[in-house]
Amino acid sequence: MEERPVEFGGALRRLREESGLSQSALSARIHYSKGYLSKVETGKATGNREFAKACDDALTAGGVLAALVRERAERQETGDVVTAITGLPPTTPHFTGRSAELARIAAFVASEVGETACVLSGMAGAGKTALGLRASWDARESFPDGCLFLDLRGHALGTAMATAHDALDPLLRLLGVPGEQIPPHVDARANLYRSRLRGKRVLLFFDNVRSAAQVAPLLPAEPRCRVIITSRNRLNALDDAVHLPVDVLPEREAVVLFRAVGGDRARAAADDVVGRVVERCGRLPLAIRIAAARFRGSPLWTVEDFEQRLADETSRLDVLDDGERSVAAAFSLSCQALTDEQLRLFGLLALHPGRDVEIRTTAALADAGLAHTRNLVDHLGDAHLVAHDTPDHLAVHDLVREFARDRVLPGITADEQAAAVLRMLDHNLLLAESSDEFLAPHRFRPPFTPNDLPEVSEKFTDRESALTWIDVEWPNLVGLCHLAAARGLHRLCWQLAYILRDFFFLAKLWDPWIDTHLVAASSARAVGDSKALAMTLDNLGMAHVDRGDLEVAVGYFEEALELFRELEDEHGITDALSNLAWAALYLDDHQTALRGLREVMESYRGRGRTRSAAIALRGVALVETELGRYSEAVAHAEQARGEFEGLALHLDVVMSVNCAGWAHFQAGDHGAAVGCYGEAVELGERCGSRYEVARALTGLGNVREAAGRHGEAVELWAKADGVHGGLNPVMIGEARVRFGLSGFV
C-alpha cells in the first residue's frame, strides 16, 4: 500500500523531468499548487483522476498517469476498504488567478503545527467560496481521513442561519456516529465531535459563516486537522486563526474571467472594451460572472453595447442581476447584522462624491464624535461594506456605494440627508480655507459663515498638515463643488471653488481649476451674485492664462472687469486690469503690459496690498527682460524677492529668483543665471513647487547648451521633464529658449 503513491509519483516526476519542466512550471500549467505537486511526486499524497488527467495533458503523456490511477482504484475495489469521505462541492471550471492566496492557503493546510483554522473574509461576491474550494481540492490528498463541507448559511436569503448545534448533527453523522447516539445538547455534541476527530487528519470547510460564536464549537482540538472558513465578516474573535482577506481581482485576472464565462464573443472582444466592462463591475468576481453570463445569453449585444449599459450608474445594479444571482441581493444580506445607527451611516456615505472618505468627513456626515465614528466604521469594515485605505481614510467600493445610494439612502429622510450634506460641505470648506491660509496667507478671502459646524471641525495648526490634507483631498473637494451646485447650495459652491484657486495654481491642475470655476460661475449666476460671479470669472481667466489659452483668458478678464465696474469695486477693477496686463505680456504686447503693470502696482501700493504690488513688480521685470532692459529687470526681480521674503511668501520668492535668473541669462551673464537657477531649485523643492523647480532645471540646461555642453543640457532637461513635464513656451521663457537651442529635444 505504501508503495502505490510512490509508484504514481515516480512516474510523474520522470515524465516532468523528461519534458524539461520545473515543478513551478508544471504547477502553473495544471493549476495545482507546487507544494501539492511535490507531495505527489514524493508519495506523501496520492493524486486522483482529475489531477492525473491534467498532468497527462500538460506533459502529453498519452494517458499514462491516468492509467496508473485506474489501476490503483481497481486494486482498492478488490482489496482495500476506502472509508474517507470527500464531500467537497465541485470547483468552477472558470476559476481565475488568486495564485498568492492559494499559495498561502496551501502552506497553511500543509502544516501539522500552529493554527488549525484559516478565515477567508471579504465583501459579498469577492469569490471566497470559490477560492476556498479550489484550495481544498488541491489539498484533499493530504487528508486521508476525509474532506467535509458544510454551508452554515450565515448570509443566506430566506433560510435560517445554522447554529453550532445544528451543524454538529450532520458532522457527527459524516464521522460515523449513528443518529440515535448523537447527544441533544450542544456541548455534548461538541465533545463527541472532537473525540471522533482525535488522531485523524481531516479537512473541514465551513462556508458562509456569520460570527465567531457560530463556528467556535466546530473547531477541532486535533492539531493535524485543518479548517477553512469563509465569511463576509472579519471574525476578529477567532484570534488564533490565520486571517486572509479576499479582495477584488486584479484587472488582468478580471478580464480573463469575463472572457472565460462570456463565451466566444467575449474572447474575441477588444482588450480596452473588456477592460472597461470589468471596471464597471468593480472587478468583483460575482458581478463579472453575472455580467458575462448575461452577455453570453444575449447574442444581439456587442461588448460595446453591454459596456454602455453598465456605464449608467442608475441602472447598473439591475444589469448585474440574472434572475438567480444578484449583486444587490448579496449586499443586502451583508447589511442584515447592522444596527440602525450603522445602517444610517452606511447610507449617508453614499452622499459623499468620492470613493475615498476621510474619517473626519465621515464624522461630519454622521453628526458624531470622532471616536464614536471610528467605532461605527469599524463595524462596517468588519462586514466588508467599507475598507480602510489608511487609518484616517475609508474606501467604499463603487458597486457598494451604488447599492447604498439606491437601496439604503432612500430610507433616510430628505431633511436628514440635506443636513448631512450641509455639515459635510461646511466642514470641508472650513478645512480648505484653513489650508489656503497657510498656502496664501495674504490673499483676500470672502467671509465664510458656516451654518452649523460639526464637532470634528477644527482648523489646521501647522502648514505641513494643511498642505498634506489638501494634496490628498482635492479630488473630493472638486466633487463637493458639483454636489453643492446640484443641491442648490450655490454660495458654498462658489466659495469652495474660490478657495481652491491657489492650490490649483501651485500644483498646475488646470483642468479641475477650470471645472470648479465653471460650475461656480453657474452657481453665482443662479443666485444673482454679481460680485461672486466677477471674482470667479477673474479666476477662470487666470487658469487659462496659466495654461497658455490667452485669448480665452482675455475674454474672461474683460467680462469680470465690466462686472467690477458696474459694482464700483475698485479692488476687483485693479485685479482685472492686472490680469489683462499679464495677458498682454504673454501676447507680446509689451508696451501695453508694462504700462498696465506699473499702473496697477501703484494702485496696489496705495491700498496697502503689498503682495499684489510685488507680483506686479515681478511682472514688470519680465516685461523689461523682453524689452532688453536687463539691469532694470534684475533689480526689479530682486526687489520683488525682498518684499516676498518680508511677507514669508515662499512660492513667490522662488518665482522671483527664477525671474532674475531669466533676466541674467538673456543678458548673457550665464554665471549669474546659474547662481539664480541653482538657488531656485533648492527653494522650489523646499516650498513644494515642482513647476518652478522644472523651470529652474530647464534654465540650467539652457546655460549648458549655450556653452556647448549638450550632454549635460539633455540630462538637465530630462530631469526637468521628470519633475514637471510640459512647461508651456508661451508662458515660460526658459522653455521657449530650450526649444530654440535644442531643436525640440
Side-chain angles (χ1 to χ4, degrees):
M1 289 292 293
E2 291 299 323
E3 295 180 356
R4 289 169 191 162
V6 176
E7 177 187 353
F8 176 84
L12 172 59
R13 180 175 182 176
R14 185 179 66 257
L15 289 167
R16 176 180 62 76
E17 291 176 344
E18 288 174 358
S19 299
L21 294 176
S22 66
Q23 286 184 342
S24 297
L26 180 57
S27 68
R29 291 190 183 189
I30 64 176
H31 303 295
Y32 283 78
S33 72
K34 178 184 174 184
Y36 178 63
L37 177 59
S38 175
K39 286 186 176 183
V40 173
E41 289 190 352
T42 57
K44 295 179 181 178
T46 59
N48 62 10
R49 292 179 183 179
E50 179 186 349
F51 175 81
K53 183 180 184 304
C55 293
D56 273 330
D57 292 343
L59 299 172
T60 60
V64 169
L65 296 172
L68 286 173
V69 171
R70 282 196 300 273
E71 290 174 11
R72 185 176 68 208
E74 289 168 1
R75 290 195 294 267
Q76 288 175 336
E77 288 172 4
T78 58
D80 296 340
V81 178
V82 181
T83 58
I85 296 175
T86 298
L88 298 172
T91 60
T92 170
H94 302 306
F95 185 85
T96 301
R98 304 293 195 191
S99 57
E101 293 92 337
L102 286 171
R104 189 168 175 191
I105 300 170
F108 158 75
V109 296
S111 174
E112 294 188 4
V113 295
E115 298 91 341
T116 59
C118 177
V119 178
L120 309 181
S121 64
M123 64 187 293
K128 303 177 291 296
T129 301
L131 172 61
L133 284 174
R134 183 54 184 265
S136 298
W137 277 105
D138 286 352
R140 69 193 181 281
E141 297 292 349
S142 298
F143 293 89
D145 297 307
C147 300
L148 307 181
F149 175 90
L150 201 62
D151 183 356
L152 297 186
R153 305 188 304 274
H155 297 93
L157 183 63
T159 305
M161 180 182 71
T163 64
H165 181 274
D166 299 331
L168 282 165
D169 183 279
L171 287 173
L172 286 168
R173 292 175 189 270
L174 289 170
L175 292 171
V177 179
E180 64 272 14
Q181 295 182 20
I182 297 176
H185 301 296
V186 64
D187 287 344
R189 289 184 176 189
N191 285 328
L192 180 57
Y193 165 72
R194 294 190 181 104
S195 176
R196 281 284 175 156
L197 290 175
R198 179 67 64 185
K200 297 184 182 297
R201 184 156 173 78
V202 176
L203 176 63
L204 300 144
F205 189 136
F206 299 132
D207 191 32
N208 209 5
V209 174
R210 180 181 292 186
S211 67
Q214 183 188 18
V215 77
L218 310 182
L219 301 181
E222 170 55 51
R224 296 195 306 152
C225 290
R226 288 291 176 270
V227 180
I228 294 177
I229 297 167
T230 67
S231 179
R232 298 181 188 182
N233 299 326
R234 290 200 183 107
L235 305 186
N236 295 320
L238 295 181
D239 47 14
D240 289 331
V242 173
H243 288 266
L244 180 60
V246 181
D247 203 350
V248 297
L249 289 171
E251 181 182 5
R252 184 184 64 81
E253 294 175 5
V255 167
V256 170
L257 178 60
F258 181 82
R259 291 189 190 281
V261 178
D264 292 339
R265 290 183 301 126
R267 284 188 283 274
D271 289 343
D272 60 331
V273 182
V274 177
R276 290 198 298 274
V277 168
V278 299
E279 287 300 326
R280 302 292 189 197
C281 295
R283 292 185 276 114
L284 185 71
L286 174 63
I288 294 169
R289 286 180 175 277
I290 293 172
R294 291 204 63 187
F295 173 73
R296 186 187 62 225
S298 304
L300 296 181
W301 285 347
T302 66
V303 180
E304 290 79 4
D305 293 336
F306 192 58
E307 189 270 330
Q308 286 303 308
R309 293 197 65 179
L310 286 170
D312 185 355
E313 291 185 1
T314 62
S315 62
R316 186 178 300 162
L317 290 175
D318 294 329
V319 177
L320 296 176
D321 184 338
D322 63 7
E324 295 187 16
R325 298 171 298 178
S326 166
V327 170
F331 292 157
S332 293
L333 294 172
S334 296
C335 295
Q336 284 182 340
L338 298 181
T339 66
D340 289 345
E341 188 178 21
Q342 293 160 7
L343 190 65
R344 171 182 173 272
L345 176 57
F346 178 51
L348 291 176
L349 283 170
L351 295 170
H352 190 273
R355 180 181 183 275
D356 300 306
V357 190
E358 192 198 24
I359 191 67
R360 287 178 295 178
T361 295
T362 306
L365 282 168
D367 197 17
L370 199 57
H372 186 57
T373 299
R374 289 188 188 278
N375 185 52
L376 293 173
V377 168
D378 285 344
H379 284 290
L380 295 179
D382 287 342
H384 287 281
L385 292 167
V386 303
H388 276 294
D389 280 354
T390 69
D392 290 326
H393 282 81
L394 59 98
V396 186
H397 187 276
D398 290 343
L399 293 179
V400 174
R401 188 172 67 250
E402 289 167 23
F403 168 80
R405 181 196 64 211
D406 295 347
R407 313 296 168 92
V408 181
L409 187 60
I412 301 173
T413 67
D415 287 345
E416 192 171 359
Q417 290 184 41
V421 168
L422 197 56
R423 288 193 302 270
M424 176 169 59
L425 287 167
D426 278 348
H427 168 76
N428 280 276
L429 183 53
L430 177 79
L431 293 185
E433 182 184 56
S434 177
S435 177
D436 194 54
E437 287 169 353
F438 283 98
L439 194 63
H442 297 274
R443 179 192 180 192
F444 167 76
R445 277 173 286 272
F448 163 53
T449 306
N451 297 276
D452 183 18
L453 278 177
E455 174 186 334
V456 294
S457 301
E458 295 180 357
K459 288 194 170 189
F460 296 107
T461 57
D462 64 277
R463 177 183 173 86
E464 182 178 357
S465 297
L467 299 192
T468 298
W469 177 84
I470 199 167
D471 194 45
V472 171
E473 287 296 312
W474 72 262
N476 287 332
L477 297 175
V478 171
L480 288 172
C481 270
H482 285 272
L483 176 64
R487 289 267 177 171
L489 302 171
H490 298 299
R491 178 182 60 82
L492 292 174
C493 172
W494 74 257
Q495 283 190 324
L496 185 53
Y498 184 92
I499 289 297
L500 286 169
R501 187 202 70 183
D502 279 302
F503 171 74
F504 288 149
F505 175 78
L506 172 65
K508 302 305 175 187
L509 293 167
W510 298 304
D511 287 342
W513 183 352
I514 292 169
D515 174 51
T516 53
H517 281 67
L518 284 173
V519 71
S522 296
S523 280
R525 287 190 173 97
V527 293
D529 191 334
S530 298
K531 176 69 175 289
L533 177 59
M535 291 189 298
T536 301
L537 294 173
D538 207 36
N539 284 340
L540 259 175
M542 291 175 66
H544 282 284
V545 162
D546 207 43
R547 193 166 69 173
D549 300 332
L550 299 175
E551 289 79 6
V552 176
V554 167
Y556 282 122
F557 291 145
E558 289 177 343
E559 187 178 356
L561 179 60
E562 182 179 351
L563 285 170
F564 283 131
R565 282 175 171 160
E566 289 175 1
L567 294 166
E568 298 181 353
D569 183 340
E570 294 299 326
H571 176 108
I573 291 170
T574 305
D575 284 345
L577 289 172
S578 174
N579 288 329
L580 284 166
W582 279 93
L585 162 63
Y586 298 126
L587 287 167
D588 294 330
D589 187 355
H590 298 138
Q591 292 299 334
T592 298
L594 185 61
R595 181 172 56 254
L597 286 167
R598 284 174 172 169
E599 288 176 358
V600 298
M601 181 175 62
E602 293 305 316
S603 175
Y604 285 139
R605 293 200 187 284
R607 298 175 183 278
R609 295 178 59 187
T610 307
R611 177 179 182 252
S612 297
I615 291 173
L617 180 60
R618 187 174 65 231
V620 167
L622 289 171
V623 177
E624 290 169 338
T625 302
E626 297 301 317
L627 294 172
R629 293 150 66 168
Y630 304 121
S631 59
E632 295 175 65
V634 170
H636 287 143
E638 291 177 347
Q639 181 184 345
R641 172 188 179 164
E643 294 181 12
F644 290 131
E645 286 177 335
L647 297 170
L649 295 171
H650 307 292
L651 175 60
D652 286 303
V653 168
V654 69
M655 293 174 73
S656 299
V657 174
N658 267 330
C659 179
W662 169 240
H664 281 305
F665 177 82
Q666 289 293 83
D669 189 349
H670 290 177
V674 167
C676 287
Y677 285 138
E679 185 181 9
V681 169
E682 180 183 346
L683 293 172
E685 290 175 342
R686 194 181 303 165
C687 77
S689 176
R690 293 187 294 270
Y691 191 81
E692 293 300 320
V693 170
R695 176 183 173 188
L697 289 169
T698 301
L700 289 171
N702 295 343
V703 173
R704 299 296 194 280
E705 181 70 13
R709 294 152 68 177
H710 181 69
E712 295 177 26
V714 169
E715 288 183 11
L716 285 163
W717 290 332
K719 187 175 180 181
D721 291 340
V723 172
H724 190 292
L727 296 180
N728 191 332
V730 174
M731 310 294 300
I732 301 298
E734 288 84 359
R736 187 164 64 248
V737 168
R738 168 188 171 179
F739 293 151
L741 288 172
S742 64
F744 296 89
V745 171

